[in-house]
Amino acid sequence: MWQHRHHSYTLAGKTVGIVGLGRIGREVAKRCRAFETQLLYHDPVRADRSIEESLNAQYVPFLDLLTQSDIVTLHLPLLPTTKHLFGESEFRRMKPSSIFINTARGGLVHEPSLVSALQEGWIAGAGLDVFAKEPPEPDNPLFKLANVMLSPHCATGTRDSIVEKTRAACENFRRVLRNEPPLNVVNP
């Protein structure tokens, strides 16, 4: 890792752009605050002012977020309106020194454009936990790039998270039996 020291930087003082300020985006924002970052966000549905204030997050238009952020982190669902939200145009708008992070859904990104952005230096690097095709093919060009960190979309595969997911599912069963709506519905 020592060879990467001159290419890396700390979060303190950087601008983090969060695309999607739902439940997960808000948790990311909370953690970024601890690193004294400036938080920008864009979401199709703007958050209440009280949420913006509690997170110290500023709502900005999508294109402004891209041009101003040192780190862009993506937290949206994959919908027809969000498919390939990030493509060549979006990556070219980002700073050449910026980092792109996607832990949401692979289909939000036009993967060949991301590969070009990384190979040609439109952005400095990427951290990906999701791919356009999962599992990715062994010959996926992302595997050959030195400026990308990859993981297998398994962050919630811990013992603690499995217990919490089971508890939440059981609570939703109880809610439905009491004629109450379930919480955190992703696919109604």
Side-chain angles (χ1 to χ4, degrees), residues 4-187:
H4 299 295
R5 288 186 70 178
H6 65 284
H7 295 295
S8 58
Y9 52 76
T10 62
L11 279 173
K14 299 298 185 286
T15 300
V16 176
I18 300 173
V19 181
L21 200 66
R23 186 174 50 85
I24 295 171
R26 290 175 192 174
E27 291 298 322
V28 169
K30 288 178 192 175
R31 285 151 180 81
C32 285
R33 279 192 334 206
F35 291 95
E36 300 176 356
T37 62
Q38 176 187 359
L39 289 176
L40 304 178
Y41 85 94
H42 183 81
D43 194 291
V45 179
R46 185 172 178 170
D48 292 335
R49 298 264 185 212
S50 62
I51 292 170
E52 291 178 351
E53 289 172 7
S54 72
L55 297 172
N56 197 24
Q58 177 186 357
Y59 177 86
V60 294
F62 181 61
L63 297 180
D64 290 352
L65 181 141
L66 296 177
T67 60
Q68 295 175 29
S69 299
D70 298 301
I71 297 110
V72 174
T73 180
L74 185 51
H75 304 284
L76 290 173
L78 179 59
L79 304 168
T81 56
T82 60
K83 183 174 182 177
H84 293 165
L85 179 67
F86 279 81
E88 179 177 343
S89 174
E90 291 72 26
F91 289 120
R92 285 189 181 273
R93 289 181 183 273
M94 293 169 64
K95 296 177 183 181
S97 59
S98 65
I99 304 295
F100 176 74
I101 299 170
N102 185 10
T103 59
R105 296 289 177 257
L108 297 168
V109 176
H110 182 255
E111 206 165 86
S113 296
L114 175 59
V115 170
S116 294
L118 292 164
Q119 288 174 333
E120 297 176 26
W122 308 342
I123 62 173
L128 307 174
D129 191 37
V130 291
F131 302 88
K133 181 179 185 302
E134 293 188 357
E137 297 293 335
D139 64 345
N140 186 314
L142 289 167
F143 291 139
K144 295 180 174 105
L145 299 175
N147 56 346
V148 64
M149 297 292 292
L150 305 169
S151 63
H153 201 83
C154 64
T156 62
T158 65
R159 177 180 43 197
D160 294 337
S161 68
I162 292 168
V163 169
E164 178 57 26
K165 285 188 266 186
T166 303
R167 187 206 56 75
C170 290
E171 176 56 27
N172 273 339
F173 288 134
R174 287 193 279 289
R175 289 180 65 82
V176 169
L177 291 173
R178 293 188 307 252
N179 290 321
E180 298 172 7
L183 301 176
N184 300 316
V185 175
V186 175
N187 293 314

